[in-house]
Amino acid sequence: MGQILATDEFLETNGTAFAPDFQEAIDLAEGALEAALDRGFVHWVLTYSGGKDSTATTVLTLEWLKRKGYPVKAHVIYADTGLEIPTLHAQAQEFLHALQDLHPEVSVYTAKPEAEESFWVNLIGKGYPPPHSRFRWCTRRLKVTPMDAVVQTLEGKALIITGVRFGESDARDARMHLSCSRGGECGQGVWYEESRRLGVGYLAPIAFWRECYVWDYVSLVAPAFGYPTKAIEEIYGGRDTRFGCWICTVVRQDRAMQKIVSSPEGRRYLPLAEFRSWLKEFTEQRENRVLRSNGVPGRLTLHARRTILERLRTTEAKTGLSILSPEEHQLILQYWQSDRYNDSYQ
Ligand code: SF4
């Protein structure tokens, strides 16, 4: 199957220069949903990350389905990486509770990575360097695979609906599929690439929305339906920001975290921002990496991994947050003992 629906057809016929106004943008997105309805998908799956794009997509789709009398089975999957910025995680939980009250017919899931695939086990246990643009090992492990596992349990044709948006200057900007650095939500577009493999349909109803429309929808339209989304803009410290993990080292400077920790309520999370900056710098130093035979820095040394673990424990103590689970800690110790992940394995 692997169909790319409606949005693609829309872009084919309207081209990249088309700039709908806000109401037109809503009408076109609903038109995309209408077109998808005729394709026979039993399950409509919304991939919700807590960010503005997936929030707008989720509200738009569920409210439209409600008006139609829920003609399909709707599912919302929240990707809980365990690394969300705490205030944003709390906001996402509030949203999901409200959603369940507003739409009792909708199934809500939280998709978490297995401990084996968690960020900390890969970083501190196996010694993977923190993810960066050329070695981005996190998105698939933390977000896509756990969501994929939920989708695989559904029997019958499934349609994945994401909040992916294309760049305003280039509606075919493929880089947006993975981006989290330019205001896009990390992982939202991966389904576009995965749809063929999974045998599901894919729909991005707000693909052609401008960023300001998304914000207006989240801040003005969704609250009118009863969703607690008015505060998202404030929590994120304004419109020009990113949504993703607090540890994210793929972005050069984490302005979202900077904004949050500069507010009185967010100050307690300053140690998280400090840890992230320290980790990035520490792991870039050659002496903290096992050098490959060609001299290129490879995995983190065992000594570096021990230092990171200590520092992480200190960060937990400073913030009062429990970041590493006992299971993850146990797996880390096991990897340190294994031949495959020690300093001499090439
Ligand atoms: S937000 Fe950053 S750290 Fe988190 S999954 Fe995306 S790229 Fe990786």
Side-chain angles (χ1 to χ4, degrees), residues 65-317:
L65 285 175
K66 187 179 189 174
R67 290 205 301 278
K68 293 274 171 184
Y70 301 105
V72 291
K73 179 78 187 131
H75 309 261
V76 175
I77 312 180
Y78 173 54
D80 184 356
T81 61
L83 296 164
E84 280 77 39
I85 299 171
T87 44
L88 308 184
H89 182 62
Q91 160 69 34
Q93 295 302 315
E94 197 186 337
F95 175 83
L96 290 173
H97 282 132
L99 186 153
Q100 280 176 306
D101 287 346
L102 291 164
H103 303 273
E105 303 75 0
V106 173
S107 306
V108 177
Y109 313 77
T110 295
K112 293 185 179 188
E114 300 283 340
E116 178 74 33
E117 290 294 2
S118 81
F119 185 87
W120 302 115
V121 170
N122 281 291
L123 179 93
I124 308 177
K126 297 182 192 168
Y128 282 24
H132 53 81
S133 53
R134 280 166 289 107
F135 183 42
R136 186 171 170 148
W137 50 264
C138 47
T139 308
R140 203 165 295 278
R141 285 183 167 86
L142 304 183
K143 295 187 171 181
V144 178
T145 303
M147 284 201 172
D148 189 355
V150 177
V151 174
Q152 300 286 3
T153 64
L154 304 176
E155 280 178 25
K157 281 171 75 177
L159 175 69
I160 307 282
I161 304 175
T162 82
V164 77
R165 287 187 306 114
F166 301 105
E168 281 172 30
S169 58
D170 179 0
R172 294 287 183 173
D173 188 348
R175 286 168 301 170
M176 278 303 285
H177 295 160
L178 274 168
S179 175
C180 74
S181 60
R182 290 176 295 136
E185 281 177 46
C186 163
Q188 285 286 297
V190 176
W191 293 101
Y192 183 84
E193 290 150 11
E194 296 285 307
S195 57
R196 194 170 299 280
R197 180 181 70 77
L198 290 171
V200 297
Y202 174 93
L203 179 68
I206 67 162
F208 45 84
W209 280 24
R210 295 167 171 223
E211 187 168 347
C212 57
Y213 294 167
V214 181
W215 278 119
D216 286 350
Y217 196 87
V218 166
S219 303
L220 304 169
V221 179
F225 288 125
Y227 296 86
T229 53
K230 210 179 179 66
I232 294 184
E233 196 175 330
E234 193 185 318
I235 296 169
Y236 278 80
R239 295 192 165 200
D240 176 28
T241 194
R242 167 192 85 82
F243 300 81
C245 309
W246 64 264
I247 193 67
C248 189
T249 43
V250 175
V251 286
R252 205 170 297 139
Q253 263 198 330
D254 194 346
R255 273 183 288 160
M257 267 307 268
Q258 282 170 2
K259 282 179 183 168
I260 283 171
V261 300
S262 62
S263 70
E265 316 79 60
R267 236 197 119 57
R268 63 177 283 224
Y269 302 121
L270 185 59
L272 297 182
E274 288 171 347
F275 178 85
R276 173 200 171 272
S277 301
W278 169 81
L279 179 71
K280 195 164 162 48
E281 208 187 306
F282 178 74
T283 53
E284 278 167 5
Q285 293 165 17
R286 276 176 83 83
E287 66 266 30
N288 293 321
R289 306 281 288 272
V290 177
L291 296 184
R292 299 205 185 101
S293 49
N294 58 3
V296 173
R299 73 167 58 86
L300 302 169
T301 64
L302 277 172
H303 178 73
R305 287 181 248 170
R306 285 200 180 92
T307 308
I308 295 169
L309 180 59
E310 273 168 33
R311 188 100 174 201
L312 185 62
R313 290 302 192 195
T314 309
T315 303
E316 286 183 308

